[in-house]
Amino acid sequence: QVRLVESGGGSVQAGGSLRLSCVASGIIVRIYDMGWYRQAPEKQRELVASITGNGNTNYADSVKGRFTIARDNTKNTVSLQLNSLKPEDTAVYYCAAKRFWTDYWGQGTQVTVSS
C-alpha cells in the first residue's frame, strides 16, 4: 500500500518560513517524479515545485528563489522549504508521486500566512 504523509504546515506571519515534509511508504521516491502542489480556496490546484528521479528541479515562477524542494533517498522523504512567505502562499499543500501513468497523493497540510 502506498502512502504519502505530509507534515510541517502551520500558521506564520508574512516573511516567515516553514518546512514541509513528505514521508513515503510503499514506493521508492528516488525513482518517482516527486512534486509539491497547492490549492487555495476557490482556486485550481497548481504545481509549486518538483524533482525528477535524476534530481532535476522545477519551480513555479511565483515561488522561485523562495522555495526549495529536496529529496532524501535514505529516509525516503521529500521536503519543501518555504521562505519569505507571503499571504498569497496560503493554501493546502499536497505531496505527489508520479511515474508513467501512475500517481499518488498525500492528504495535504495547511499553510496559512497572515499579513
Side-chain angles (χ1 to χ4, degrees), residues 36 51 59 68-72 77-80:
W36 285 94
I51 182 167
Y59 296 91
T68 304
I69 189 170
R71 185 179 62 219
D72 187 330
T77 60
V78 178
S79 63
L80 185 68

Side-chain angles (χ1 to χ4, degrees), residues 24-34 71 73 76 97 99:
S25 58
I27 62 168
I28 301 173
V29 297
R30 62 177 171 82
I31 66 171
Y32 277 73
D33 292 340
M34 302 298 298
R71 185 179 62 219
N73 293 334
N76 213 39
R99 188 165 186 258

